[in-house]
Amino acid sequence: MAITTIKSTYSLDVDSVRTLEGLARRWNVSKSEVLRRSLRIAAATDDQGESAPLEALTRLQNAVRERGLDLAQWGRDLRAERKAGERRLGVWPG
C-alpha cells in the first residue's frame, strides 16, 4: 500500500537543522522520518497543551489548602533547621 506524501518547504534555524541531522544519523533514518516521528511524539505527549503548568500549580495549591498547611510556618521551620545544621557544621557565623 502506497503512502501519500506531500512535499513542503520550511525554514529552520541552524541549530534546528543540526539537531535534525544529528537525530537522523542517530536513528539511522531520513530527516523526513525524524520530523514525522517528532510530530507524532509531540502530539501524543502534549495533549494538555500550554495549560499543563498552570494546572499543576492549581493542583498543588488545592492540596496545600485541603491539608491545611501553613506555608509561612513551614518556611520558618525550614530556615531554623538550616541554621541549626550550619551551626553544627561550624558554617554559621552567629
Side-chain angles (χ1 to χ4, degrees):
M1 176 197 270
I3 298 174
T4 304
T5 60
I6 299 170
K7 280 197 169 220
S8 299
T9 302
Y10 298 94
S11 297
L12 299 173
D13 59 90
V14 174
D15 287 336
S16 295
V17 171
R18 287 181 180 151
T19 301
L20 178 63
E21 291 170 342
L23 287 172
R25 280 191 305 276
R26 186 180 330 155
W27 295 348
N28 198 29
V29 297
S30 67
K31 291 182 274 187
S32 293
E33 180 61 19
V34 170
L35 291 171
R36 283 190 290 271
R37 289 181 186 185
S38 299
L39 289 170
R40 283 193 298 270
I41 291 168
T45 58
D46 197 27
D47 289 339
Q48 296 181 34
E50 292 183 16
S51 63
L54 183 57
E55 289 173 10
L57 175 60
T58 300
R59 286 194 308 272
L60 175 62
Q61 290 170 332
N62 289 339
V64 167
R65 200 173 303 114
E66 288 170 3
R67 293 180 181 157
L69 298 175
D70 181 353
L71 293 181
Q73 183 60 50
W74 177 80
R76 289 189 294 272
D77 293 344
L78 182 61
R79 280 189 292 281
E81 288 177 24
R82 286 180 179 164
K83 286 180 184 178
E86 290 170 345
R87 284 189 191 109
R88 280 193 299 273
L89 294 173
V91 179
W92 188 254

